[in-house]
Amino acid sequence: SFAPAPTSTSSPSSNPTESTTTVVPTYFPTIAMSSSRPTPQPSVKPTASPTSAPTDSVPLTPLVVSKQCEPYSDTFDLCTDNGVPYYHCDRNKDKLGTDILLLHGASFSKENWRRKDIIDDLCQHVTVVASDLSVWAKSDVLISMLDRFEAAGVMRLPITVITPSASGRSILSWLQGVSSIDDMPKYVKTWVPVAPYTVLSATDAQLSALIEQDVRVLAINGDRDKSGGQVSERLGDAADAEVVVLDGGHAVYLSSPKEFSETVLDFLGVEQ
């Protein structure tokens, strides 16, 4: 366990056996120390171990609008946003709301979107960002990133957010009050959840807020993902989602990449 211990600075005293001590609380393992004059320990209790961070939160970063990119292929660039890598193409000449942000599940990364040519397919028609944003990121972190993207000219808000599996936390936490639900339409026009199981723990009132905020929902799942089917059904009932079932399992976009891209673009009304 960790306990606060003092860091002392001494100044001259009229009594040569004493010193005046200023206590600055720091956190490190308690070590027995001796002195000629006992110093009271400050009654400060640490809230967390200094060597670990909560697993359900990601620290916010300040608004930084610089865009750091280098060409990766003929279609898209490899960029970095506050240390988080992402692929980016700027092809969107269509209506607002069709810029697409691709997030990823817990066992995946932006590379899965690249390897299956989904980025290439979507980039023929719209602006795309495939980000390695942590699956632990909640809505406040997503909002911070989108503000930077808009300021740097990476994306136009509001956007379409595709959240496979665990990355659905970024939207579900929004519905559960981490960020103001009234701000959602500024950032998100369309949500494409791909079997995020956390939907099953949300209330009907939380999910129906998507209707109230005029956020369209396209729920996609694989025909061999039973729980994913339950997620889509729940969103269809509570959030008026359009439900599409494709051939595949939990990561259905990897099983049916062409059909996945076409389904998304059709829903957005983008001519192919």
Side-chain angles (χ1 to χ4, degrees), residues 11-45:
S11 59
S13 170
S14 59
N15 189 333
T17 64
E18 296 182 345
S19 63
T20 302
T21 302
T22 301
V23 178
V24 181
T26 58
Y27 296 99
F28 49 87
T30 303
I31 302 172
M33 300 179 66
S34 62
S35 65
S36 59
R37 181 178 181 180
T39 303
Q41 295 290 319
S43 57
V44 179
K45 183 178 180 181

Side-chain angles (χ1 to χ4, degrees), residues 71-269:
Y72 185 87
S73 71
D74 292 338
T75 307
F76 53 87
D77 297 333
L78 174 61
C79 310
T80 302
D81 170 64
N82 279 20
V84 177
Y86 66 93
Y87 291 126
H88 176 243
C89 70
D90 187 4
R91 301 285 187 277
N92 200 337
K93 307 302 179 186
D94 213 295
K95 59 186 178 182
L96 282 174
T98 56
D99 287 13
I100 295 176
L101 173 63
L102 299 169
L103 300 181
H104 62 77
S107 300
F108 302 92
S109 74
K110 70 184 187 308
E111 302 305 324
N112 297 101
W113 300 111
R114 176 184 63 81
R115 292 178 187 132
K116 287 296 183 176
D117 295 326
I118 296 174
I119 299 177
D120 278 326
D121 290 343
L122 293 175
C123 281
Q124 301 307 312
H125 309 282
V126 296
T127 290
V128 177
V129 167
S131 173
D132 271 337
L133 184 69
S134 169
V135 296
W136 294 107
K138 294 184 178 181
S139 57
D140 51 351
V141 179
L142 175 64
I143 288 171
S144 180
M145 183 180 74
L146 292 178
D147 281 336
R148 292 192 299 272
F149 281 167
E150 182 182 48
V154 175
M155 306 188 84
R156 303 177 301 166
L157 302 181
I159 65 167
T160 293
V161 182
I162 299 180
T163 62
S165 193
S167 62
R169 172 189 298 257
S170 60
I171 299 297
L172 262 297
S173 60
W174 208 330
L175 301 176
Q176 293 168 342
V178 170
S179 305
S180 171
I181 190 64
D182 292 334
D183 290 338
M184 184 175 280
K186 173 185 173 182
Y187 294 94
V188 179
K189 178 63 178 176
T190 302
W191 180 33
V192 183
V194 185
Y197 295 159
T198 49
V199 164
L200 300 177
S201 65
T203 67
D204 287 346
Q206 289 168 345
L207 296 176
S208 64
L210 292 161
I211 301 174
E212 298 167 4
Q213 297 300 326
D214 197 27
V215 175
R216 301 175 68 219
V217 182
L218 169 63
I220 302 177
N221 66 274
D223 58 0
R224 296 188 292 279
D225 183 9
K226 181 178 179 180
S227 295
Q230 294 173 347
V231 169
S232 294
E233 182 179 359
R234 181 80 192 285
L235 288 166
D237 292 340
D240 197 25
E242 179 173 321
V243 176
V244 175
V245 180
L246 299 177
D247 178 38
H250 186 54
V252 65
Y253 51 96
L254 301 182
S255 305
S256 302
K258 291 289 184 183
E259 295 81 358
F260 182 87
S261 297
E262 292 169 358
T263 297
V264 171
L265 292 174
D266 284 343
F267 187 75
L268 295 180

